[in-house]
């Protein structure tokens, strides 16, 4: 991914399986890239009441198409037809304005992801794909429980991959979300390029409100950079192939500096109700707090730290106001690169630990 967006509660809590689009998408794509553009998609045309992104009425869309045609050698007529079917989504804009990680306490956020059912499903998922998990551990050095926990938090192991068309999400954010429109325009360009290269129908794939999709919820640029063909069938398929998703998550972590054998977070004791202002508490930057800085601010590691080791103080808040303290390591930081939230990283860490314990029984 470089996935910088919070996981949407609606996506995380959904229990039904989203219909996998890749097999259908490939069939449509093989047809649609060769036949006239008028036949290219089964997606409904935008109604008169729904704003689309047709280039003849959106100069910025037209400029993007010209750029992709020139620099990526994509077919301009094909791109114009695709964008005429992309629809503006108010649901996407509303979700971007209120991400879960920005308004929930830890105890509220934890309830979404740390449940016996999700732990049991993680154990079952590992058992079902054990060869892939064992190979990912050997090749990338990332524990099976961490890989499984990522897939568990993101999509409940493929059960909830998202219900918003990726083309709609990315187009809306690229052209109607000023705070990050440049970032999302690049993701839209990456998506259009990726779907052509992978022979997928860009109008068929569904994902999250931020344009992430598949088992692992990679955004398009991360899909292009870090997805691997782990099952060796010639296609990097993160939507329908759990094997590729397992290998790709491990590859992403390895490429971002995962250190084998280092725990994600270490237990600590600290101020019960107040966060010290002189510490980088809950930071998503690289660990920077020293032993001396922790001590001076009343935070005490409950396990020995190396003299020069740097950590990130984590204070998890509860309804009664008390704080639970942890110290994030380099591997904690790696998880926040997948999703830039300390709550997300701690949820992955705790789910992984519970899966690991359950695997022993």
């Amino acid at each position: 991914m470089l996935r910088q967006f919070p996981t949407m509660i609606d996506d995380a809590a959904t229990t039904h399986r989203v219909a996998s689009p890749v097999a259908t998408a490939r069939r449509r794509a093989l047809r649609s890239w060769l036949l006239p553009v008028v036949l290219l998609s089964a997606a409904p045309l935008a109604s008169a009441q729904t704003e689309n992104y047709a280039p003849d009425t959106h100069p910025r869309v037209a400029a993007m198409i010209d750029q992709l045609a020139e620099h990526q050698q994509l077919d301009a007529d094909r791109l114009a037809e695709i964008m005429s079917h992309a629809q503006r989504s108010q649901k996407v804009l509303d979700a971007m304005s209120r991400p879960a990680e920005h308004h929930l306490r830890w105890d509220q956020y934890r309830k979404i992801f740390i449940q016996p059912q999700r732990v049991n499903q993680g154990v079952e998922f590992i058992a079902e794909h054990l060869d892939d998990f064992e190979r990912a551990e050997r090749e990338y050095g990332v524990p099976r429980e961490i890989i499984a926990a990522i897939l568990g938090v993101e999509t409940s192991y493929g059960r909830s991959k998202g219900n918003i068309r990726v083309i709609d999400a990315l187009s809306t954010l690229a052209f109607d979300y000023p705070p990050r429109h440049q970032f999302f325009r690049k993701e839209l360009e990456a998506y259009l390029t990726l779907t052509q290269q992978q022979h997928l129908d860009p109008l068929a794939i569904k994902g999250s409100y931020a344009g992430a999709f598949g088992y692992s919820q990679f955004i398009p640029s991360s899909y292009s950079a870090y997805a691997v063909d782990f099952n060796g069938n010639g296609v990097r398929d993160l939507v329908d192939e759990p094997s590729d998703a397992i290998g790709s998550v491990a590859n992403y972590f390895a490429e971002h500096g995962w250190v084998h054998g280092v725990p994600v977070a270490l237990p600590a004791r600290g101020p019960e109700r107040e966060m010290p202002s002189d510490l980088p508490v809950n930071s998503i930057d690289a660990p920077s707090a020293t032993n001396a800085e922790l001590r001076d601010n009343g935070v005490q590691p409950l396990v020995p730290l190396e003299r020069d080791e740097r950590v990130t103080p984590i204070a998890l808040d509860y309804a009664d106001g008390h704080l639970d303290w942890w110290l994030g390591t380099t591997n904690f930081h790696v998880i926040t690169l997948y999703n830039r939230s300390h709550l997300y990283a701690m949820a992955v860490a705790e789910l992984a630990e519970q899966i690991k314990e359950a695997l022993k029984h």
Side-chain angles (χ1 to χ4, degrees):
M1 179 170 122
L2 185 51
R3 186 164 190 270
Q4 298 179 334
F5 325 110
T7 302
M8 188 174 182
I9 294 180
D10 290 345
D11 289 346
T14 303
T15 56
H16 68 279
R17 177 179 290 273
V18 176
S20 297
V22 165
T24 301
R26 284 205 191 94
R27 290 194 297 270
R28 287 179 182 165
L30 289 173
R31 232 177 20 245
S32 62
W33 285 98
L34 297 173
L35 294 178
V37 285
V38 69
L39 300 176
L40 30 93
S41 175
L45 289 172
S47 69
Q49 292 76 32
T50 303
E51 181 182 353
N52 65 24
Y53 291 96
D56 55 351
T57 56
H58 288 73
R60 290 183 297 158
V61 176
M64 178 191 72
I65 289 174
D66 289 343
Q67 183 178 13
L68 286 173
E70 179 180 356
H71 296 293
Q72 299 295 334
Q73 288 74 54
L74 301 187
D75 183 88
D77 290 336
R78 167 65 176 166
L79 294 175
E81 180 69 11
I82 292 168
M83 292 308 299
S84 72
H85 289 290
Q87 299 175 5
R88 183 182 187 275
S89 172
Q90 187 60 45
K91 178 180 179 181
V92 166
L93 296 173
D94 292 343
M96 287 297 291
S97 70
R98 192 171 171 78
E101 283 86 345
H102 291 184
H103 70 273
L104 295 182
R105 297 185 310 269
W106 163 246
D107 57 328
Q108 296 170 316
Y109 189 84
R110 181 184 182 278
K111 285 181 182 178
I112 301 169
F113 302 108
I114 311 302
Q115 311 149 341
Q117 182 182 30
R118 203 175 300 248
V119 174
N120 294 336
Q121 288 171 346
V123 172
E124 293 168 2
F125 189 74
I126 289 175
E128 184 179 356
H129 304 284
L130 184 59
D131 289 346
D132 292 321
F133 278 103
E134 289 179 341
R135 183 157 68 93
E137 283 186 338
R138 290 194 306 270
E139 294 185 9
Y140 298 107
V142 183
R144 65 193 69 183
E145 63 270 13
I146 291 290
I147 302 170
I150 289 288
L151 299 175
V153 168
E154 291 292 344
T155 62
S156 290
Y157 315 101
R159 291 172 173 81
S160 305
K161 297 173 189 169
N163 56 15
I164 298 173
R165 287 200 314 170
V166 174
I167 191 69
D168 296 337
L170 292 176
S171 297
T172 299
L173 295 170
F175 299 111
D176 285 304
Y177 186 63
R180 300 192 68 193
H181 69 95
Q182 292 181 333
F183 175 86
F184 284 108
R185 174 170 162 169
K186 290 180 180 178
E187 290 304 320
L188 176 59
E189 292 172 355
Y191 179 71
L192 293 169
T193 303
L194 173 71
T195 51
Q196 178 171 347
Q197 293 172 342
Q198 295 282 105
H199 303 294
L200 303 175
D201 181 354
L203 301 178
I205 301 173
K206 293 183 178 181
S208 77
Y209 67 82
F213 58 101
Y215 274 85
S216 54
Q217 294 291 280
F218 276 13
I219 58 173
S221 61
S222 291
Y223 198 125
S224 297
Y226 304 110
V228 297
D229 175 20
F230 208 52
N231 61 7
N233 69 352
V235 179
R236 298 182 301 159
D237 180 359
L238 304 187
V239 179
D240 276 334
E241 295 290 347
S243 175
D244 287 358
I246 291 165
S248 297
V249 170
N251 180 52
Y252 181 94
F253 276 27
E255 289 290 331
H256 285 85
W258 183 271
V259 181
H260 178 69
V262 173
V264 172
L266 305 169
R269 182 183 299 116
E272 190 162 327
R273 295 181 179 274
E274 190 171 331
M275 299 185 192
S277 59
D278 293 336
L279 279 179
V281 179
N282 297 337
S283 170
I284 57 173
D285 295 329
S288 62
T290 64
N291 268 297
E293 290 171 330
L294 295 173
R295 182 179 62 251
D296 292 346
N297 287 275
V299 177
Q300 177 184 353
L302 297 183
V303 294
L305 296 181
E306 297 294 332
R307 180 175 181 179
D308 297 327
E309 186 172 358
R310 293 177 182 266
V311 293
T312 297
I314 306 299
L316 304 176
D317 54 337
Y318 289 80
D320 63 2
H322 89 270
L323 300 174
D324 187 14
W325 287 87
W326 293 82
L327 302 175
T329 66
T330 296
N331 286 345
F332 178 89
H333 177 60
V334 171
I335 297 176
T336 66
L337 295 176
Y338 201 96
N339 182 310
R340 298 185 68 80
S341 161
H342 73 284
L343 295 179
Y344 177 90
M346 285 304 302
V348 168
E350 183 168 345
L351 179 59
E353 189 61 30
Q354 292 196 20
I355 290 173
K356 182 179 180 179
E357 288 301 312
L359 286 170
K360 296 176 181 179
H361 303 296

